[in-house]
């Protein structure tokens, strides 16, 4: 066992870095608080006049007293469309209901009447994915006018579109994952299938309604004149059609009925991931803010970051003196046994005496990480990835040494892992390094960014110059020769756009990550994540297929 005993040097530079990152967090927090207001004052007032609770108040009453709702995807849809759709009009997250961890999905009817945009669909699918991966009960609080019709072609027919949600309803039911839906407002057209394909459905008198076609469409289609309440209100669906299972008087009674139903769920099977009594790290998680540089280039020691995360600073480092640009170790986080794969950002000396660049994956470090990931799967130890990676090493020496083959081995091991994986983008996440370090495409159970992180196919400087050369060559083919001054203006424009598109908020709005987090929360998130994953026992063997040696 290795002890990370180093105390962080809190000099002036430390506090300058800390202030920089605290300011980033303040900006993120300010944006989140605005999003949490939903569709605005007038929309909220109209919503409350109908006797409804605001979506976040519904969730607060649903989860256990003094427990925390862990929200995911709060930045979803941010600045993606001409329309303002805070949180994509849907709140999702993990909450404890009657003592059980549940996935909660709740429409925000103050945002475009809860209409579904393309990214709203993606967010709902992400919630179902988390429920499926961890076999957690899922609760839907339905209050939506249905698909946002001007964008229907981007949400209706494809595999990852609206219909996939109902397909998931059916698959989840077959898997034995409890699904409870509460119709607390309109539930229209195709959206009507979601609550009715759930195991049990509740409907609120006076405000809840469910039908395939509303009164206006019914009149247009068949000439029948009827109002929505008579067509598909609570009395109709509970007493005449039998479509819904429980009629409740208001939102409060509805929430209490849901809690009572969840209370009676049984049959949970646990994997039994290893956990002992938690111990605090030797340095505070908040110290990470003073360790990380204010840019994405400057080196820093990832062992310092680990000392702020792992219990009591204890790690069992795997191949400590080999492949040093990636650190691999066993440790405990909040008592849970974990395997950790981290990019080292300091320059290191290889076995041949070569100085290797920090944050770059070399052949030896890829080989080491592959073997470690395989070991964690053999022992059923959850994996934690801390990304600050600029990619794999390039150049003739790396190519002749088989960097593509060694990188492919690492990607193969990550892709085929059967243990739960959790990813945090601490700094850079560029190119194939994103893949090898378990980016979104490799099914981490949860993935988060720090406020200073960047996600892109390559670093900003390299990408901007490459894009500039392409543009200049295009103009030359058109017979247009631009001056050096014009080149610099074009380069500045390209750099500005590239920097904007690599920001964590840009990634979070598109659900490339589940959110942007304060490093203080990292231990809590990992602990919650493993507790979630513990509900789904591992039954599939770890098989990598063909790995070239």
């Amino acid at each position: 066992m290795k002890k990370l005993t180093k105390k962080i040097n809190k000099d002036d530079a430390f506090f300058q870095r800390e202030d920089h990152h605290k300011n980033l967090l303040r900006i993120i927090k300010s944006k989140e608080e605005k999003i949490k207001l939903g569709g605005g004052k007038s929309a909220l007032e109209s919503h409350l006049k109908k006797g409804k609770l605001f979506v976040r108040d519904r969730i607060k009453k649903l989860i256990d007293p003094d427990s925390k709702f862990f929200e995911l995807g709060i930045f979803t849809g941010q600045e993606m469309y001409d329309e303002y759709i805070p949180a994509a009009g849907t709140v999702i997250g993990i909450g404890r209901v009657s003592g059980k961890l549940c996935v909660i999905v709740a429409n925000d009817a103050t945002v475009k009447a809860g209409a579904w945009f393309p990214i709203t669909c993606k967010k709902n699918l992400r919630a179902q994915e988390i429920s499926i991966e961890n076999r957690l009960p899922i609760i839907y609080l339905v209050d939506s006018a249905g698909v946002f019709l001007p964008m229907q072609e981007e949400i209706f027919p494809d595999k990852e579109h609206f219909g996939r949600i109902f397909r998931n309803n059916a698959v989840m039911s077959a898997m034995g994952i409890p699904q409870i839906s509460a119709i607390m407002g309109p539930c229209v057209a195709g959206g009507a299938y979601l609550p009715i394909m759930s195991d049990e459905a509740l409907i609120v008198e006076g405000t809840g309604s469910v039908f395939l076609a509303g009164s206006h469409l019914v009149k247009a289609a068949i000439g029948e004149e009827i109002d929505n309440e008579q067509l598909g209100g609570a009395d109709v669906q509970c007493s005449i059609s039998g479509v819904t299972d429980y009629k409740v008087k208001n939102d409060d009674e509805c929430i209490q009925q849901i809690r009572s139903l969840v209370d009676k769920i049984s049959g949970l099977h646990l994997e039994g991931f290893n956990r002992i009594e938690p111990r605090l790290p030797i340095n505070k998680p908040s110290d990470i803010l003073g360790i990380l540089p204010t840019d994405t280039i400057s080196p820093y020691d990832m062992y310092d970051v680990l000392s702020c995360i792992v219990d009591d600073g204890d790690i069992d480092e795997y191949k400590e003196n080999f492949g040093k640009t990636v650190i691999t170790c066993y440790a405990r986080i909040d008592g849970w046994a974990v395997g950790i794969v981290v990019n080292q950002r300091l320059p290191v000396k290889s076995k041949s005496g070569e100085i290797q660049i920090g944050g770059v994956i070399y052949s030896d470090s890829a080989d080491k990480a592959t073997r470690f990931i395989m070991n964690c799967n053999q022992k059923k130890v959850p994996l934690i990835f801390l990304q600050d990676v600029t990619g794999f090493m390039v150049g003739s020496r790396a190519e002749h040494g088989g960097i593509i083959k060694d990188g492919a081995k690492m990607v193969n091991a990550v892709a085929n892992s059967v243990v739960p994986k959790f990813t945090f983008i601490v700094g850079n996440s560029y190119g194939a390094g994103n893949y090898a370090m378990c980016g979104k495409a490799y099914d981490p159970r949860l993935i988060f960014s720090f406020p200073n992180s960047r996600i892109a196919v390559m670093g900003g400087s390299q990408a901007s110059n490459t894009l500039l050369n392409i543009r200049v060559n295009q103009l030359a083919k058109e017979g247009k020769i631009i001056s050096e001054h014009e080149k610099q203006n074009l380069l500045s424009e390209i750099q500005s756009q590239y920097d904007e598109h690599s920001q964590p908020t840009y990634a979070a709005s598109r659900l490339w990550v589940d959110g942007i987090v304060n490093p203080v929360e990292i231990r809590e998130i990992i602990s919650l994540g493993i507790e979630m994953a513990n509900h789904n026992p591992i039954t599939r063997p770890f098989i990598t297929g063909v790995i070239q040696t």
Side-chain angles (χ1 to χ4, degrees):
M1 181 180 290
K2 179 177 179 179
K3 194 82 169 179
L4 300 172
T5 56
K6 179 183 173 183
K7 287 293 182 182
I8 304 301
N9 180 24
K10 296 186 178 180
D11 55 11
D12 287 346
F14 173 93
F15 290 111
Q16 288 170 4
R17 293 190 294 266
E18 183 182 54
D19 285 345
H20 172 82
H21 291 290
K22 280 184 175 179
N23 189 51
L24 291 180
L25 285 169
R26 280 192 288 269
I27 294 169
I28 293 296
K29 186 70 174 177
S30 174
K31 290 179 178 179
E32 287 179 347
E33 291 305 315
K34 181 182 177 183
I35 290 169
K36 287 180 180 179
L37 296 175
K41 185 178 179 181
S42 61
L44 178 59
E45 287 175 351
S46 174
H47 181 83
L48 296 176
K49 282 178 182 177
K50 296 172 184 174
K52 299 180 180 182
L53 293 171
F54 181 47
V55 61
R56 295 182 182 276
D57 293 326
R58 286 171 173 169
I59 293 171
K60 187 176 181 180
K61 292 192 173 196
L62 177 63
I63 62 174
D64 293 349
D66 301 320
S67 69
K68 180 178 178 181
F69 176 63
F70 186 66
E71 185 169 355
L72 304 169
I74 191 169
F75 282 102
T76 310
Q78 187 81 346
E79 298 180 353
M80 281 188 67
Y81 308 110
D82 293 335
E83 307 284 345
Y84 177 58
I85 51 164
T90 299
V91 181
I92 71 169
I94 312 298
R96 206 173 293 276
V97 179
S98 298
K100 299 176 178 69
L101 283 181
C102 296
V103 177
I104 299 170
V105 182
N107 301 123
D108 183 354
T110 71
V111 180
K112 302 294 176 184
W116 289 56
F117 286 71
I119 196 65
T120 314
C121 186
K122 185 176 181 180
K123 187 173 184 179
N124 278 262
L125 288 170
R126 176 61 178 143
Q128 289 183 322
E129 180 181 43
I130 291 169
S131 174
I132 292 169
E133 287 180 330
N134 301 286
R135 289 189 178 255
L136 295 181
I138 187 166
I139 300 166
Y140 307 98
L141 306 182
V142 184
D143 192 349
S144 170
V147 168
F148 185 67
L149 285 177
M151 303 186 77
Q152 62 86 23
E153 75 279 4
E154 296 180 47
I155 191 174
F156 169 64
D158 210 345
K159 181 178 178 180
E160 302 301 329
H161 285 178
F162 204 44
R164 189 74 174 184
I165 291 169
F166 316 136
R167 175 265 185 194
N168 285 351
N169 287 140
V171 169
M172 292 162 74
S173 184
M175 292 173 68
I177 297 171
Q179 299 176 84
I180 298 172
S181 286
I183 302 165
M184 308 177 85
C187 186
V188 185
Y193 286 107
L194 185 147
I196 308 312
M197 292 189 73
S198 298
D199 300 322
E200 294 181 284
L202 304 84
I203 188 167
V204 179
E205 285 186 80
T207 58
S209 58
V210 55
F211 32 68
L212 291 181
S215 56
H216 294 295
L217 184 54
V218 167
K219 183 176 181 180
I222 63 173
E224 180 183 1
E225 292 198 16
I226 189 171
D227 64 32
N228 284 338
E229 187 65 25
Q230 292 175 312
L231 184 66
D235 285 336
V236 170
Q237 301 294 18
C238 280
S239 303
I240 300 174
S241 71
V243 165
T244 51
D245 308 309
Y246 304 91
K247 183 173 72 172
V248 290
K249 292 180 181 178
N250 52 43
D251 281 10
D252 284 301
E253 185 177 307
C254 182
I255 288 165
Q256 289 308 309
Q257 181 66 63
I258 295 170
R259 287 183 52 81
S260 180
L261 292 171
V262 174
D263 181 54
K264 296 170 182 66
I265 293 173
S266 59
L268 299 178
H269 303 283
L270 301 182
E271 170 59 42
F273 292 119
N274 187 310
R275 192 182 195 190
I276 62 172
E277 188 68 26
R279 292 174 295 168
L280 294 174
I282 58 168
N283 292 305
K284 297 177 182 178
S286 58
D287 286 345
I288 296 174
L289 299 177
I291 296 169
L292 299 177
T294 58
D295 56 44
T296 58
I297 301 170
S298 300
Y300 61 97
D301 193 345
M302 268 292 193
Y303 287 108
D304 290 346
V305 174
L306 289 177
S307 74
C308 302
I309 297 173
V310 303
D311 289 13
D312 207 32
D314 291 334
I315 64 172
D316 296 303
E317 187 164 4
Y318 178 77
K319 293 186 182 292
E320 178 180 357
N321 297 310
F322 180 78
K324 293 183 179 181
T325 62
V326 171
I327 300 168
T328 51
C329 62
Y330 301 103
R332 290 191 182 274
I333 295 177
D334 199 36
W336 295 102
V338 297
I340 304 175
V341 182
V342 188
N343 303 112
Q344 173 59 292
R345 281 306 309 270
L346 289 179
V348 298
K349 187 180 287 188
S350 72
K351 58 184 182 294
S352 63
E354 171 197 7
I355 299 299
Q356 296 182 334
I357 303 166
V360 176
I361 302 175
Y362 289 76
S363 283
D364 54 356
S365 48
D367 180 70
K368 176 174 79 170
T370 301
R371 291 168 180 261
F372 180 72
I373 291 165
M374 294 170 75
N375 283 349
C376 288
N377 277 272
Q378 182 80 0
K379 299 175 182 178
K380 293 190 176 180
V381 176
L383 280 161
I384 313 298
F385 292 85
L386 302 181
Q387 288 194 14
D388 194 343
V389 58
T390 53
F392 285 88
M393 191 57 190
V394 296
S396 61
R397 185 171 180 179
E399 297 292 357
H400 297 171
I403 186 65
I404 296 176
K405 177 184 67 178
D406 292 319
K409 288 192 287 188
M410 185 175 175
V411 169
N412 193 318
V414 173
N416 285 296
S417 286
V418 296
V419 296
K421 298 168 292 192
F422 304 91
T423 301
F424 296 85
I425 302 173
V426 176
N428 301 303
S429 181
Y430 293 155
N434 171 280
Y435 302 159
M437 292 294 293
C438 196
K440 183 67 181 290
Y442 290 80
D443 298 323
R445 297 291 176 95
L446 296 170
I447 178 169
F448 294 96
S449 284
F450 283 8
N452 58 298
S453 65
R454 297 289 185 273
I455 302 177
V457 73
M458 64 177 74
S461 176
Q462 301 96 310
S464 298
N465 281 289
T466 301
L467 291 167
L468 175 66
N469 288 334
I470 292 170
R471 183 63 179 141
V472 169
N473 289 336
Q474 285 174 339
L475 291 170
K477 287 178 182 178
E478 296 168 9
K480 300 174 184 176
I481 307 299
I482 62 174
S483 67
E484 283 301 317
H485 178 69
E486 288 172 321
K487 280 185 183 179
Q488 287 304 312
N489 286 341
L490 185 56
L491 179 62
S492 296
E493 182 183 321
I494 291 169
Q495 284 177 332
S496 176
Q497 184 184 54
Y498 196 86
D499 182 63
E500 179 188 342
H501 289 184
S502 61
Q503 293 287 330
T505 47
Y506 191 88
S509 71
R510 287 153 179 80
L511 281 175
W512 300 347
V513 295
D514 291 315
I516 304 168
V517 295
N518 187 333
V520 172
E521 302 173 316
I522 188 169
R523 282 170 52 85
E524 179 186 356
I525 293 170
I526 291 169
S527 185
L528 174 66
I530 299 176
E531 184 185 354
M532 284 165 40
N534 205 31
H535 287 73
N536 189 4
I538 298 169
T539 55
R540 180 168 66 88
F542 174 63
I543 302 172
T544 61
V546 176
I547 291 186
Q548 293 186 355
T549 57

